[in-house]
Amino acid sequence: MKTYIIGNWKMNFTVGESSLYLHKLLQKVHAYRDIEVVVSPSLVAIQTLSLQTDRRKIKLAAQNFYHRDFGAYTGEVSISQLRSLVDYVIVGHSERRYIFNESDKDIRAKVSAAIRDGLTPILCIGETDTERMFGETADVIRDQLLGGLQEVSAEDLTKCIIAYEPVWAISGHDKAAKIASPLDVEDAFKLIRGVLKDTYGKSVSEDIPLLFGGSVKSTNAESYLMLDNCNGLLIGGASLIAPEFTDIIEIAKRVKDGRTKN
Ligand code: PEP
């Protein structure tokens, strides 16, 4: 299985800045066959960047979309409008769940729409600080995972990526983010694989890439990438800094070369 390094640029950079930044990354990033590098710019920059990028080095993801293909939905962008521009879509990010009140129903509609239109959904799940304090982490992970995948068949599950992103570890919000310990992350990964195995069977569950996201930087990336069940990283803040992001890609390559997983 490939290692996925995915940068979520969130609502940062103008179109011009995005283009300059991608240009810089393309100069530095190598085309490794076993490392999939993806960046997720703002929707307004997607078309420009899709013409500019070299997909062997860097593919694109959309941060959001509406699950219907066309129609009277003012202000929305559909998955079919994105299809030729991106390869991946982020679904269920905690900022969409908690700031924009996206429900599990919205999220499962998006996962299904992405699969239907041939894009890979990156389904984000993870507990809040309060849920963690109340010992609800496992329940939240299970509910968000099965809620998001409810309409996905075993055959289609292999077209999905799951990102475990504990909300308390994500940077850029009011409260200072905490750093998730690799042990906690591996426990969450084991739980996710277990739920997928119980629902879809062993072989399929082992084929699903599991990513970690939450204040990943070049200084801690290796500790997560070395985990048995970790197949990559979803990176917010550090993906906006070229040397950080490219260092993490090189770390992922070193880890990949150093040990044989899957
Ligand atoms: C994210 O937004 O998905 C994320 C993990 O952000 P950060 O790396 O900044 O915590």
Side-chain angles (χ1 to χ4, degrees), residues 10-25:
K10 308 194 185 188
M11 200 174 69
N12 291 293
F13 301 146
T14 62
V15 176
E17 286 164 351
S18 300
S19 175
L20 278 175
Y21 186 50
L22 181 67
H23 178 73
K24 199 183 223 180
L25 290 178

Side-chain angles (χ1 to χ4, degrees), residues 8 10 93 95 165 169-171 213-216 234-238:
N8 177 9
K10 308 194 185 188
H93 192 281
E95 287 151 20
E165 296 210 306
I170 297 180
S171 69
S215 300
V216 173
L234 178 50
I235 306 156

